[in-house]
Amino acid sequence: NENLPLVINTWAFTEANEAAWSTLKAGGSAIDSLVKGCTTCEELQCDGTVGYGGSPDENGETTLDAMIIDGSNMNMGAVAGMKEIKSASKVARFVLEHTKHSMLVGEAATNFATMMGMQRESLSTPKSQTIHKEWLKNKCQPNFWINVVPDSNKQCGPYKPQSDANSRSKQQYYSYKVDQYNHDTIGMIVIDKAGQIFAGTSTNGATHKIPGRVGDSPIPGAGAYADNAVGAAVATGDGDVMMRFLPSFLAVELLRMGATPEDAATECMQRIARFYPSFSGGLVVATRMGQFAAACVGMDKFPYSVAFGSANNSSTRVLYQT
Ligand code: SD4
């Protein structure tokens, strides 16, 4: 098949794509390639929204979500809200390969990671501390994520629901926009030339989130899904909304029923937009034969990175889905 192998990922994260692609070309396995790609983004802090030092939560802490799915057997590994470990993808791989569990969360995921030999270190950086400090200045204004009423002493919290009169409309609540500078995720699909598929994600989630918030990225069928018999999909966008629709699962099932990757990707995004007209997000879909497409809503254009084919000179390109 001349479309295989294939490495495709969300956004113009070309270094991640190139790292995954060269791993495959050097004879690495599909999972080595996927983990190399996602780890590269974690180390480069792609757009500030993958890896350490981005998206501080309300307490100023960065936490990480990541997942890996093996399309040959539906085995998976994920971490969610993991603290103080820089490489979430590697820990997701440990969960996949060394446990019978599917997902570990929070502090306990950190402890597991240290048992596996990973180093425990702060994920804060001067940049993430500045983002948090700026936000704290306005903390008593309603947080986008919460219907919080500041009390008269300008003390924030404990949270209580706003009165109806005060409450922002659903429309306002969901009008938060995702773009290249806010709230992105690497979602990557790797298919080797034998048709082995791995899909995965890595993110630091949403800025100023309530501590404990987990997005779509580590949720199977939401952030990513893969089945060697059909294909795979990976998502990026407002994960609080996206995880309600399992768009990656739906895209793979639509492929199974005969949809093209274009139609599958479009239907999954449209379905969310029908409920949440101002939702913004994107989906990348690939068939097991290496045909691929993307769809997006709520953004002008959605860049994604791809390298495919058996030719020696094949290399990473960025395509733009409108
Ligand atoms: C999340 N889906 O945690 C992630 C963030 C993202 O593009 O993908 N932004 O909600």
Side-chain angles (χ1 to χ4, degrees):
N1 180 334
E2 63 203 24
N3 280 337
L4 296 182
L6 169 78
V7 175
I8 189 165
N9 59 269
T10 56
W11 306 109
F13 296 153
T14 50
E15 294 98 333
N17 191 281
E18 280 157 8
W21 186 243
S22 41
T23 302
L24 267 189
K25 286 270 154 168
S29 64
I31 188 170
D32 285 345
S33 161
L34 181 89
V35 172
K36 181 71 186 170
C38 293
T39 304
T40 298
C41 245
E42 289 162 353
E43 286 167 358
L44 292 172
Q45 303 168 281
C46 284
D47 277 356
T49 55
V50 182
Y52 68 103
S55 305
D57 67 16
E58 279 195 315
N59 296 336
E61 184 166 16
T62 295
T63 58
L64 304 181
D65 298 343
M67 171 171 62
I68 300 175
I69 300 189
D70 179 343
S72 72
N73 55 12
M74 310 315 291
N75 193 2
M76 66 164 276
V79 290
M82 186 174 65
K83 297 160 180 260
E84 296 184 320
I85 302 287
K86 280 190 177 166
S87 184
S89 301
K90 286 183 185 162
V91 186
R93 181 177 189 165
F94 285 136
V95 175
L96 190 159
E97 291 183 336
H98 299 311
T99 80
K100 293 194 169 66
H101 298 312
S102 292
M103 184 186 296
L104 298 178
V105 305
E107 196 70 43
T110 309
N111 292 338
F112 169 77
T114 58
M115 264 162 34
M116 300 308 291
M118 312 281 299
Q119 195 187 334
R120 184 174 197 132
E121 56 196 315
S122 168
L123 302 186
S124 290
T125 59
K127 189 173 163 204
S128 69
Q129 285 165 357
T130 303
I131 296 170
H132 183 238
K133 274 194 207 112
E134 288 302 310
W135 179 76
L136 276 182
K137 289 184 191 159
N138 296 319
K139 189 172 189 264
C140 291
Q141 292 169 12
N143 177 354
F144 164 76
W145 300 108
I146 312 154
N147 284 330
V148 62
V149 197
D151 80 12
S152 47
N153 301 324
K154 279 271 192 190
Q155 299 272 315
C156 300
Y159 303 127
K160 39 189 174 168
Q162 284 185 325
S163 71
D164 278 353
N166 264 339
S167 178
R168 279 157 292 146
S169 66
K170 255 203 160 143
Q171 191 68 12
Q172 281 172 300
Y173 191 73
Y174 289 113
S175 66
Y176 190 64
K177 289 284 177 201
V178 50
D179 60 30
Q180 286 93 314
Y181 307 105
N182 188 0
H183 193 271
D184 305 329
T185 289
I186 184 159
M188 178 177 274
I189 301 167
V190 175
I191 311 181
D192 71 15
K193 61 181 188 310
Q196 167 62 52
I197 309 179
F198 276 90
T201 54
S202 182
T203 188
N204 52 32
T207 308
H208 315 315
K209 58 186 169 270
I210 302 175
R213 178 268 191 194
V214 169
D216 61 310
S217 302
I219 311 294
Y225 203 63
D227 179 340
N228 278 8
V230 181
V234 288
T236 180
D238 177 352
D240 289 287
V241 167
M242 240 175 349
M243 69 195 294
R244 302 170 193 174
F245 294 85
L246 296 179
S248 295
F249 175 76
L250 179 59
V252 170
E253 294 313 305
L254 290 172
L255 291 181
R256 198 189 305 278
M257 289 186 280
T260 63
E262 291 81 359
D263 289 350
T266 305
E267 166 57 18
C268 294
M269 289 292 99
Q270 290 302 325
R271 187 171 298 191
I272 303 176
R274 285 198 281 275
F275 281 85
Y276 298 104
S278 43
F279 163 78
S280 99
L283 193 69
V284 173
V285 177
T287 71
R288 70 187 182 89
M289 304 301 284
Q291 292 119 348
F292 59 85
C296 66
V297 290
M299 44 182 141
D300 295 339
K301 56 182 194 302
F302 170 41
Y304 61 104
S305 308
V306 60
F308 67 95
S310 48
N312 276 336
N313 58 358
S314 43
S315 62
T316 297
R317 287 186 284 157
V318 177
L319 301 176
Y320 293 88
Q321 178 64 34
T322 51

